[in-house]
Amino acid sequence: MLNKYARAFFTRVLTPFAAFLIRRGVSPDAVTFIGTAGVVAGALVFFPRGELFWGVIVITSFVFSDLVDGNMARQLGRSSRWGAFLDSTLDRVADSAIFGGLALWYAGSGDDNILCAVSIFCLASGQVVSYTKARGEAIGLPVAVNGLVERAERLVITLVAAGLAGLHKFGVPGIQILLPIALWAVAAGSMVTLVQRVVTVRRESAEADAASDRANPAPPTNSATQESEAAQ
């Protein structure tokens, strides 16, 4: 849902900024690298220390680079396989840093092994959810399903909850409970999305195999040929 509506909105909002960067001679690949570096720094410097609010502020400052670089490429007419590959690969790096930073917090000063494990599950399941779609498309299937919780939902739910939970250090009582709730929700949603995509790929692959069999029927076996000749 966020990919369908929010992405279009923010693309329009960020178009002037993308045009400004182009005029300054900045390349889309440079924006991709800088954005990823900023997200990784914000997650791995602030989150393990429990500075959740400031970590989210830093991450949010850079996370929109994912929309800016693509916008720049389209304005320049340079959309390429390399750009798509680089963007997708570094997205996985950024996601890993965010959930890895939270896992480090809970493994250390956060002192909660269960939430550490949930954070690691969110990290791993997010990678697998992305892989199922990429692998399905690589074998020629459309993978015509988005699923309950995609990357945009995972990031928004987690970062909003982490930022609000970080307000606990500013004296807001009880608000830190939002982050555990968000992590459990992302973990459950990622699992549902994974099942949705696996089921879809299984159905689409069966349909593709059946269509292929109809288009290229197997030749008759020797016994079938002999019976046909005997009948004649």
Side-chain angles (χ1 to χ4, degrees):
M1 185 168 61
L2 287 175
N3 273 335
K4 183 177 180 181
Y5 299 107
R7 180 176 287 269
F9 169 76
F10 282 109
T11 295
R12 290 193 298 270
V13 171
L14 294 171
T15 293
F17 180 62
F20 168 77
L21 293 178
I22 291 172
R23 291 195 299 270
R24 305 297 293 182
V26 180
S27 71
D29 286 354
V31 172
T32 304
F33 278 113
I34 293 170
T36 302
V39 171
V40 170
L44 296 184
V45 171
F46 291 94
F47 282 179
R49 295 158 48 193
E51 299 290 344
L52 301 178
F53 177 80
W54 294 115
V56 169
I57 293 297
V58 172
I59 290 169
T60 304
S61 301
F62 289 95
V63 78
F64 286 106
S65 65
D66 189 44
L67 297 176
V68 174
D69 55 7
N71 193 312
M72 292 172 66
R74 286 189 293 274
Q75 291 189 45
L76 291 168
R78 294 182 186 172
S79 296
S80 65
R81 292 182 177 88
W82 160 249
F85 168 81
L86 180 66
D87 190 54
S88 179
T89 300
L90 293 184
D91 281 350
R92 305 288 84 75
V93 174
D95 293 358
S96 297
I98 290 171
F99 289 105
L102 292 173
L104 288 172
W105 158 244
Y106 284 119
S109 301
D111 193 24
D112 194 318
N113 289 336
I114 293 178
L115 289 176
C116 175
V118 174
S119 299
I120 293 172
F121 180 84
C122 290
L123 189 162
S125 60
Q127 308 300 312
V128 177
V129 164
S130 298
Y131 175 80
T132 53
K133 188 173 182 68
R135 182 57 180 156
E137 292 173 343
I139 60 176
L141 301 175
V143 195
V145 62
N146 290 323
L148 180 64
V149 177
E150 293 188 277
R151 181 175 187 257
E153 285 83 5
R154 290 196 302 271
L155 289 183
V156 169
I157 293 171
T158 303
L159 292 178
V160 169
L164 291 175
L167 294 176
H168 176 69
K169 287 200 169 186
F170 295 89
V172 180
I175 201 166
Q176 67 271 25
I177 192 63
L178 291 177
L179 183 54
I181 293 172
L183 289 174
W184 280 106
V186 169
S190 296
M191 192 66 204
V192 171
T193 304
L194 177 60
V195 172
Q196 287 176 303
R197 290 190 174 180
V198 169
V199 170
T200 298
V201 169
R202 187 177 188 278
R203 175 179 53 78
E204 290 178 349
S205 62
E207 291 172 353
D209 290 343
S212 178
D213 290 342
R214 288 194 297 270
N216 302 288
T221 62
N222 291 336
S223 59
T225 303
Q226 291 170 359
E227 289 176 2
S228 178
E229 290 174 349
Q232 293 176 357

